[in-house]
Amino acid sequence: MKFISIGYGNVVASDRVVALVSPDSAPVKRLVQDARDAGRVIDVTCGRRTRAVIVTDSEHVILSAVQPETISWRLNGKQSDDDSEEEG
């Protein structure tokens, strides 16, 4: 099983990721709110702004402070230049 860093020492199993989206659109905000009401939200932003929303195959919604592009690079097995950005 391969794990991907989603920021601040948190990881997610890459084979469980269904979608990786930006949190800006109304449908994604609605998705997050519905998941929050159902108790399926995992917030790993450490108090920072949510920049990526990860949907898993178990219908959990993970909120991350790392850019979706950075997580996408990690999912595809490429190295990212933004690693220092997430910690600072």
Side-chain angles (χ1 to χ4, degrees):
M1 183 177 292
K2 183 178 175 188
F3 290 95
I4 302 298
S5 172
I6 56 172
Y8 306 104
N10 299 294
V11 295
V12 66
S14 63
D15 58 340
R16 302 293 303 261
V17 175
V18 173
L20 174 62
V21 295
S22 173
D24 299 329
S25 70
V28 174
K29 289 179 182 179
R30 197 166 32 251
L31 173 80
V32 170
Q33 188 57 51
D34 290 347
R36 191 179 305 276
D37 293 342
R40 292 182 282 114
V41 168
I42 302 169
D43 187 349
V44 297
T45 60
C46 294
R48 292 168 178 81
R49 180 173 168 250
T50 299
R51 294 187 177 162
V53 176
I54 303 165
V55 181
T56 66
D57 59 355
S58 62
E59 297 184 2
H60 283 84
V61 175
I62 303 169
L63 309 178
S64 175
V66 178
Q67 292 287 346
E69 294 82 12
T70 303
I71 298 172
S72 175
W73 276 82
R74 294 173 185 172
L75 279 170
N76 292 323
K78 300 175 184 172
Q79 198 66 339
S80 171
D81 295 349
D82 296 337
D83 288 343
S84 61
E85 180 180 310
E86 76 180 42
E87 302 296 332

